[in-house]
Amino acid sequence: MNANILQTPIDYLKGVGPNRADLLRKELGIHTYQDLINFFPNRYLDKTRFYKINELQRNSAEVQVVGKITHIKSVEQKRGKRLVADFVDETGKMELVWFRGQKWIRENLKINTPYVIFGKTNWFNGLFSMPHPEMELVEEYKKQLRTAMQPIYPSTEKLAKAGISNRVFHKIMQQLFIETKGKFYDTLSEELTSELKLLPKAQAVFNVHFPQNQELLAQAQFRLKFEELFYIQLQLLIKNMLQKQKIKGYVFEAIGENFSEFYNNHLPFELTGAQKRVIKEIRADLGSGAQMNRLLQGDVGSGKTIVALMSMFIALDNGFQACLMAPTEILAIQHYNGLVELCKNLDTSIYLLTGSTKTKDRREIHEKLENGEIDILIGTHALLEDKVKFKNLGLAVIDEQHRFGVAQRAKLWRKNQVPPHILVMTATPIPRTLAMSLYGDLDISVIDELPPGRKPIKTVHRYDSNRLKVFAFIKDEIQKGRQIYIVYPLIQESEKMDYKDLMDGYESIAREFPNEQISIVHGQMKSDAKDYEMDRFVRGETQIMVATTVIEVGVNVPNASVMIIESAERFGLSQLHQLRGRVGRGAEQSFCILMTGHKLSKDSKTRLETMTATNDGFEIAEVDLKLRGPGDIMGTQQSGVLNLKIADIVKDNDVLKLARHHAMQILKEDPSLSLEKNKVIRFTYAQLAKHKNIWNYIS
Ligand code: ADP
Ligand code: MG
């Protein structure tokens, strides 16, 4: 197949014409023959089987029957008439029924002529009937470019209104295959096709539009899904490769005093296997000569901080500075205190810079930063201000990345001639499935193991009607010296009502616990007031913290052992998991109690069940992805994984892995795709890039 003919505008296809072409462009983005070929059915009706009338079952799906009409009559009913035809085969009789278009049907139906009918049946008065069947004369049926599995194409209201029905689509597709003679050059290498036993391209596209049977359809879909994912992965990997060649980074070869001294003499605990592995990955990056851009994922409490610190030591050991940026002041302070404590036996100079740093201190910090007296600077967005100039920033660690945009990250770069290495840490687990397609061009490390000795948080679901028991339980825990979080949902659109819920809740808790001190924190408070209240809780001066989700990110109060989430059905899974992560940070057994009313949707139930069943953030993220689809998950909007034409990012995970594996193998052996055997791949890749077919997926 000549690649050019596939670029023919859709207007030129017989049976399309300017009006339809316009609709196809506007409604479905189909501009060319190629686009039309890649417009895949979203489901198929199984017409592989013909039923005899005496084989029909009640409540069966759509069925296909061959027979003849013997008689047609109009039947009066309360509202208008219906048209009823007796339809028979050699095994019995059924009825075909029409409520609309009766005149036309009556005039066009042929008596005693074999028809193939297709549709859903009803069982009524001892007889099967089929309302508004699809019908075709057997004689015609035999002539068609025949397909046993009938494809159903996605449609839109406008298309349906304009009469571009599924049948029309089918016709257009037929025409397309006639005009292009159904011949397509293969787009994957011989090596791949034979190793994976893939259908040839021509056969695959034909069978996806005109499947001959289930088996061939499955093979065709597999081949096309693989191809789609393969080229996306190839693109991501090539992008990553080029980026590494293009963006030179500082080479941190030395493992020196800070790192070794700390590792040998001051580690407060044995590192977990996962922590060790991740530090190794980071070390390799820092020594590679390319700028590191690594995402470090690890569930809440998995111990990302120590990994960050040891990475920063590597920078210091090579004569560079490092910084750690947190999304809020509270978190920055916590990091500062934590790192100072960890480094108390070393002479690392660590400073804190936030929005509330006094002018005098600020000036001192600016100075010391520029003359290199500061090793590690910890802070908030304040680090990004122009006045903040490092002598030589070697590594920037960013905690909880979604609060920092790409533009802000770039600001850090501009602080140096050579961009510093970047380590982004997040506790929001991105399902592996998604990470691979979203961040195929970013390196990812995962801490998938919690430090030993952690008692898993016990999570239960309680109905509001059991509130008194829950309160009694809280009292016990407070008696034991523990602290409690009570969290209310705050969702923007209904802010007023949520705010009232929170205040009502606060009042009833104040009544229930007259002897306890209670903190309250919500989004409408000034940040000083918020910090003050938070602080009292952190210092143990209050026993209960009533809050909205503002406490979601990072707050660390090891003595807090109970997290109560009110109206838990209103939270998303990842948010529930983040909230739960506020407890279970100390030595004591911790609890998470999900409070709800009795009325729960199916999805809410699934969310609650998932929460009570597992503490594993990745498992939860996978369920979340399945419930919500990739559309709502962070970062997917821009990435365009939604624009996949045939593969499904969730369901076709195995194909994705396979595609990625092979793309990697090929690039490893032949990074420039210049080997003869990879010629087809190089050519197809160039074509896709030229016609921007890949760029649709990747911004
Ligand atoms: P997060 O990944 O949520 O940022 P942190 O780095 O704050 O987690 O670590 C959570 C807690 O676990 C801290 O108190 C830290 O000291 C402790 N911790 C981290 N790694 C280990 C380990 N390998 N063994 C024991 N405790 C650890
Ligand atoms: Mg942390």
Side-chain angles (χ1 to χ4, degrees):
M1 174 89 255
N2 179 336
N4 283 334
I5 195 175
L6 293 184
Q7 296 311 322
T8 312
I10 199 71
D11 313 55
Y12 293 94
L13 189 66
K14 202 175 139 210
V16 175
N19 289 341
R20 283 183 173 175
D22 216 39
L23 273 167
L24 290 177
R25 271 191 294 266
K26 284 199 185 115
E27 292 293 296
L28 301 169
I30 297 174
H31 295 259
T32 61
Y33 284 18
Q34 174 84 65
D35 294 337
L36 187 57
I37 283 167
N38 288 335
F39 181 63
F40 297 119
N42 52 10
R43 65 191 181 96
Y44 296 84
L45 297 179
D46 187 356
K47 295 188 172 176
T48 48
R49 183 164 172 202
F50 289 93
Y51 285 80
K52 298 290 176 205
I53 291 175
N54 71 354
E55 289 174 329
L56 295 179
Q57 301 282 330
R58 289 190 221 184
N59 304 322
S60 70
E62 286 139 315
V63 292
Q64 180 172 246
V65 185
V66 177
K68 294 173 187 172
I69 293 174
T70 54
H71 178 74
I72 304 180
K73 62 180 181 247
S74 270
V75 179
E76 291 289 342
Q77 56 185 32
K78 262 190 217 136
R79 272 194 250 152
K81 283 184 297 192
R82 70 193 145 106
L83 191 65
V84 180
D86 292 340
F87 189 78
V88 301
D89 69 1
E90 67 276 16
T91 69
K93 183 178 108 168
M94 63 187 286
E95 286 182 344
L96 311 180
V97 185
W98 293 269
F99 305 96
R100 301 179 303 271
Q102 298 178 18
K103 182 161 175 288
W104 188 89
I105 290 160
R106 192 155 204 163
E107 282 164 8
N108 286 279
L109 280 184
K110 297 197 167 79
I111 304 282
N112 286 324
T113 318
Y115 273 104
V116 180
I117 63 162
F118 181 81
K120 224 177 135 29
T121 55
N122 295 319
W123 170 256
F124 188 67
N125 272 350
L127 207 60
F128 280 100
S129 68
M130 189 184 284
H132 288 266
E134 274 178 43
M135 309 189 55
E136 196 166 13
L137 289 168
V138 169
E139 194 187 343
E140 290 297 318
Y141 180 92
K142 283 185 182 150
K143 272 195 273 182
Q144 297 266 351
L145 182 48
R146 187 41 56 192
T147 157
M149 310 281 303
Q150 187 186 313
I152 305 292
Y153 292 92
S155 187
T156 69
E157 212 170 305
K158 275 202 184 132
L159 287 173
K161 263 202 192 130
I164 306 186
S165 62
N166 200 58
R167 195 181 276 243
V168 170
F169 255 114
H170 202 65
K171 285 248 165 68
I172 294 177
M173 284 296 175
Q174 279 191 38
Q175 187 58 34
L176 181 74
F177 275 79
I178 290 165
E179 283 192 24
T180 56
K181 311 252 182 349
K183 282 199 196 120
F184 301 94
Y185 280 138
D186 219 287
T187 40
L188 290 171
S189 64
E190 178 62 39
E191 194 181 38
L192 274 176
T193 327
S194 64
E195 187 184 339
L196 297 168
K197 300 196 176 59
L198 299 173
L199 280 191
K201 174 83 167 196
Q203 221 182 323
V205 284
F206 181 75
N207 270 288
V208 124
H209 292 292
F210 305 95
Q212 301 305 292
N213 55 48
Q214 288 280 9
E215 176 63 27
L216 272 170
L217 174 60
Q219 286 183 33
Q221 286 174 322
F222 181 80
R223 144 88 209 207
L224 295 174
K225 285 173 181 180
F226 178 86
E227 178 177 339
E228 178 168 49
L229 295 169
F230 174 81
Y231 280 104
I232 292 173
Q233 288 302 319
L234 195 70
Q235 147 88 18
L236 286 166
L237 292 167
I238 288 175
K239 208 167 124 193
N240 188 2
M241 228 162 56
L242 292 178
Q243 196 168 321
K244 286 199 171 136
Q245 283 163 8
K246 207 172 62 201
I247 307 178
K248 293 270 176 288
Y250 297 119
V251 183
F252 295 166
E253 273 165 338
I255 291 301
E257 179 120 15
N258 283 292
F259 189 95
S260 307
E261 172 69 12
F262 181 80
Y263 189 78
N264 294 325
N265 302 321
H266 305 296
L267 262 184
F269 36 68
E270 172 96 14
L271 294 178
T272 63
Q275 285 170 321
K276 284 185 195 158
R277 188 189 68 233
V278 165
I279 291 172
K280 239 188 230 156
E281 288 167 355
I282 293 170
R283 260 174 75 170
D285 276 6
L286 295 178
S288 77
Q291 185 218 15
M292 173 172 80
N293 253 303
R294 190 168 277 278
L295 180 68
L296 173 57
Q297 291 193 58
D299 222 333
V300 190
S302 60
K304 294 185 289 294
T305 316
I306 199 103
V307 172
L309 178 63
M310 298 194 63
S311 310
M312 293 197 280
F313 281 149
I314 300 177
L316 306 194
D317 283 341
N318 286 271
F320 284 84
Q321 295 166 303
C323 71
L324 169 58
M325 204 159 61
T328 66
E329 179 151 14
I330 295 177
L331 281 176
I333 294 170
Q334 266 185 13
H335 271 310
Y336 174 75
N337 293 334
L339 294 192
V340 165
E341 171 68 22
L342 283 167
C343 297
K344 64 180 181 231
N345 298 313
L346 303 165
D347 58 355
T348 317
S349 100
I350 305 180
Y351 280 76
L352 175 71
L353 179 68
T354 70
S356 26
T357 305
K358 300 235 168 58
T359 318
K360 186 173 136 275
D361 299 338
R362 195 178 283 260
R363 234 177 260 141
E364 183 196 330
I365 289 174
H366 290 167
E367 216 178 283
K368 288 190 165 163
L369 203 57
E370 268 189 275
N371 65 28
E373 280 175 68
I374 294 179
D375 294 325
I376 296 177
L377 183 62
I378 296 171
T380 54
H381 285 79
L383 298 196
L384 297 171
E385 283 167 17
D386 289 335
K387 276 186 229 139
V388 180
K389 294 196 186 80
F390 291 83
K391 179 172 177 228
N392 54 7
L393 179 62
L395 169 68
V397 181
I398 303 175
D399 199 3
E400 295 299 345
Q401 104 279 16
H402 49 289
R403 314 269 159 139
F404 291 103
V406 176
Q408 288 173 317
R409 234 181 286 171
K411 253 188 170 179
L412 272 176
W413 285 35
R414 269 184 257 119
K415 292 186 181 291
N416 281 41
Q417 296 282 306
V418 176
H421 297 290
I422 306 267
L423 180 66
V424 176
M425 305 196 290
T426 177
T428 311
I430 301 161
R432 277 170 251 266
T433 338
L434 210 52
M436 242 190 280
S437 14
L438 278 180
Y439 302 111
D441 60 336
L442 205 124
D443 298 302
I444 300 182
S445 290
V446 180
I447 305 185
D448 50 7
E449 180 185 355
L450 288 182
R454 286 278 161 80
K455 293 194 182 101
I457 301 162
K458 286 190 182 148
T459 303
V460 294
H461 170 207
R462 293 284 178 266
Y463 292 109
D464 291 336
S465 46
N466 281 328
R467 186 170 297 279
L468 288 182
K469 275 197 191 143
V470 174
F471 280 156
F473 174 73
I474 299 178
K475 272 183 194 142
D476 276 359
E477 285 291 301
I478 294 177
Q479 209 85 72
K480 289 189 215 155
R482 306 283 99 77
Q483 288 165 286
I484 318 289
Y485 289 107
I486 304 180
V487 176
Y488 288 81
L490 200 137
I491 296 161
Q492 230 120 46
E493 303 100 72
S494 53
E495 216 171 310
K496 270 205 188 108
M497 209 182 88
D498 290 336
Y499 185 68
K500 186 174 175 304
D501 283 354
L502 174 79
M503 292 324 272
D504 288 353
Y506 175 77
E507 274 166 28
S508 77
I509 288 154
R511 267 197 310 275
E512 197 69 33
F513 298 90
N515 303 319
E516 319 301 343
Q517 298 297 314
I518 304 173
S519 286
I520 179 162
V521 173
H522 57 78
Q524 301 189 344
M525 287 162 70
K526 289 240 168 63
S527 73
D528 308 3
K530 243 194 281 187
D531 290 354
Y532 173 77
E533 287 286 306
M534 208 83 111
D535 226 39
R536 292 209 302 151
F537 189 70
V538 172
R539 276 185 273 125
E541 291 169 19
T542 58
Q543 286 74 49
I544 301 177
M545 159 72 83
V546 176
T548 55
T549 48
V550 289
I551 60 152
E552 195 183 332
V553 176
V555 182
N556 190 20
V557 182
N559 189 47
S561 66
V562 183
M563 166 63 66
I564 296 183
I565 304 177
E566 295 285 347
S567 304
E569 74 276 15
R570 290 178 55 193
F571 290 87
L573 258 180
S574 70
Q575 215 178 6
L576 289 173
H577 181 63
Q578 290 289 320
L579 285 169
R580 175 167 62 183
R582 297 305 105 213
V583 296
R585 313 193 132 224
E588 305 306 326
Q589 174 65 56
S590 290
F591 304 87
C592 174
I593 305 178
L594 307 168
M595 304 292 302
T596 74
H598 278 278
K599 250 199 193 155
L600 293 172
S601 71
K602 194 164 150 261
D603 280 5
S604 302
K605 273 186 200 146
T606 309
R607 288 199 294 269
L608 296 167
E609 278 160 17
T610 307
M611 283 296 291
T612 52
T614 179
N615 275 307
D616 181 339
F618 282 99
E619 221 175 283
I620 289 171
E622 295 284 351
V623 177
D624 201 26
L625 181 60
K626 282 191 187 122
L627 282 181
R628 295 196 293 165
D632 291 319
I633 307 242
M634 183 188 90
T636 53
Q637 244 83 25
Q638 303 87 329
S639 81
V641 281
L642 300 175
N643 298 339
L644 290 178
K645 291 203 160 48
I646 188 162
D648 178 315
I649 216 75
V650 180
K651 292 186 197 126
D652 298 319
N653 189 226
D654 291 345
V655 190
L656 174 67
K657 279 188 199 144
L658 193 72
R660 183 171 175 80
H661 170 78
H662 284 280
M664 232 183 252
Q665 291 304 111
I666 288 170
L667 286 175
K668 212 184 256 172
E669 187 193 23
D670 183 15
S672 55
L673 298 175
S674 49
L675 292 181
E676 181 61 25
K677 65 175 182 178
N678 293 329
K679 202 170 148 194
V680 182
I681 293 176
R682 187 177 71 235
F683 178 77
T684 309
Y685 182 73
Q687 286 289 318
L688 286 171
K690 192 164 121 207
H691 298 294
K692 297 209 175 356
N693 283 326
I694 305 188
W695 311 102
N696 287 341
Y697 304 120
I698 302 143
S699 50

